[in-house]
Amino acid sequence: MEKMETLKQWVEESHNIVFFGGAGVSTESGIPDFRSVDGLYSQKFDYPPETIISHSFFLRNPEYFYRFYREKMLPLGFEPNITHKVLARWEAEGKLSAVVTQNIDGLHQKAGSKHVYELHGSVLRNYCMKCGKFYSAEYVKNSQGIPRCDCGGMVKPDVVLYEEGLDQKTIEGSLRAIRNADMLIVAGTSLTVYPAAGLINDYRGNRLVLINRDETPYDGYADLVLHRSLGEVFSQL
């Protein structure tokens, strides 16, 4: 309880909070994460998920990629949970300046957050690789086989696949937000995926909070660590 009190006090005193979140933020909305016991990595496909969602596999075997993608990575019809909602409220109150997320589900925006840096892109944005025309997630979900544009080009989700680099502007914006934060809350991430995990090294303040069910490589660096579920913590904030 003492840790919870500290967290509440810090939130109250801070005016420039940045939230850095991973898959654990969305699991409580029903979206499975990659690495947990019942996550994507423990489900059976002909290839490991890392292979299927790599850039080279996408180009080599788009049909199989889209089969996996529609079934496992297109989270439509999910709703924001308490964590998403509290963060959106903090932003509206002028307490929180940015959300940096590794998730591709768009739930932060659905909850009302405006300043969201999506490190790994979003399933809600899809573009023709030939002419650049925009397509919705529903279009990709409902198309058969490889989604095609009117011009005949292949429609690709705006998500960062393995072997692809992160968007430079998104990284720069995230780093700027993290450097200027008076409090950084890192939650629902194992902090093992780089370069995303490395961004928190740029935080300069003394209120680095880690909230994750399991230990992370950064537990020793944090000023406050809570090994609890996010819903439990944020419902008290």
Side-chain angles (χ1 to χ4, degrees):
M1 278 321 290
E2 200 180 302
K3 286 185 171 186
M4 230 15 254
E5 290 312 311
T6 305
L7 180 59
K8 281 181 188 168
Q9 191 186 340
W10 286 3
V11 167
E12 210 150 292
E13 293 168 356
S14 301
H15 304 286
N16 191 353
I17 300 170
V18 169
F19 179 88
F20 180 102
V25 177
S26 292
T27 46
E28 291 178 32
S29 289
I31 298 174
D33 76 350
F34 265 19
R35 288 179 174 72
S36 68
V37 183
D38 45 4
L40 281 186
Y41 283 0
S42 44
Q43 298 175 6
K44 293 291 164 274
F45 269 83
D46 301 348
Y47 310 89
E50 276 117 330
T51 304
I52 302 172
I53 52 179
S54 67
H55 181 74
S56 48
F57 188 94
F58 168 74
L59 294 177
R60 199 168 61 241
N61 197 344
E63 201 134 349
Y64 198 98
F65 169 88
Y66 278 106
R67 211 187 93 199
F68 178 87
Y69 180 77
R70 280 191 194 95
E71 201 178 312
K72 297 293 178 194
M73 290 181 66
L74 207 41
L76 298 180
F78 289 92
E79 291 303 320
N81 60 49
I82 184 74
T83 304
H84 298 109
K85 290 171 186 166
V86 169
L87 294 170
R89 191 186 79 220
W90 287 353
E91 186 183 324
E93 292 169 358
K95 276 196 141 342
L96 179 129
S97 55
V99 168
V100 180
T101 180
Q102 294 174 297
N103 297 337
I104 55 176
D105 51 43
L107 287 181
H108 284 292
Q109 289 91 329
K110 205 172 182 181
S113 290
K114 308 269 190 292
H115 297 278
V116 183
Y117 293 103
E118 295 174 307
L119 294 174
H120 297 152
S122 170
V123 298
L124 303 181
R125 298 186 297 268
N126 304 272
Y127 300 99
C128 170
M129 293 172 76
K130 205 162 155 192
C131 73
K133 186 178 171 182
F134 175 88
Y135 285 91
S136 70
E138 284 74 16
Y139 179 84
V140 175
K141 182 96 174 166
N142 299 328
S143 55
Q144 298 299 309
I146 298 165
R148 295 271 174 203
C149 174
D150 302 335
C151 78
M154 185 157 63
V155 175
K156 180 184 183 292
D158 187 16
V159 298
V160 180
L161 302 176
Y162 285 101
E163 304 162 349
E164 291 182 340
L166 302 190
D167 177 66
Q168 214 32 56
K169 269 169 75 175
T170 306
I171 289 194
E172 283 163 16
S174 305
L175 283 174
R176 213 172 23 249
I178 288 169
R179 278 189 200 126
N180 295 328
D182 58 4
M183 178 176 182
L184 177 62
I185 301 176
V186 180
T189 170
S190 56
L191 291 172
T192 51
V193 177
Y194 287 86
L199 296 181
I200 70 171
N201 292 327
D202 274 58
Y203 176 59
R204 308 216 169 109
N206 57 359
R207 290 183 171 178
L208 172 56
V209 180
L210 280 187
I211 308 168
N212 200 47
R213 278 187 320 205
D214 309 310
E215 287 184 12
T216 80
Y218 283 83
D219 282 11
Y221 296 98
D223 302 297
L224 184 65
V225 178
L226 287 91
H227 289 151
R228 294 167 70 178
S229 86
L230 284 177
E232 212 183 312
V233 173
F234 273 82
S235 56
Q236 296 180 56
L237 295 170

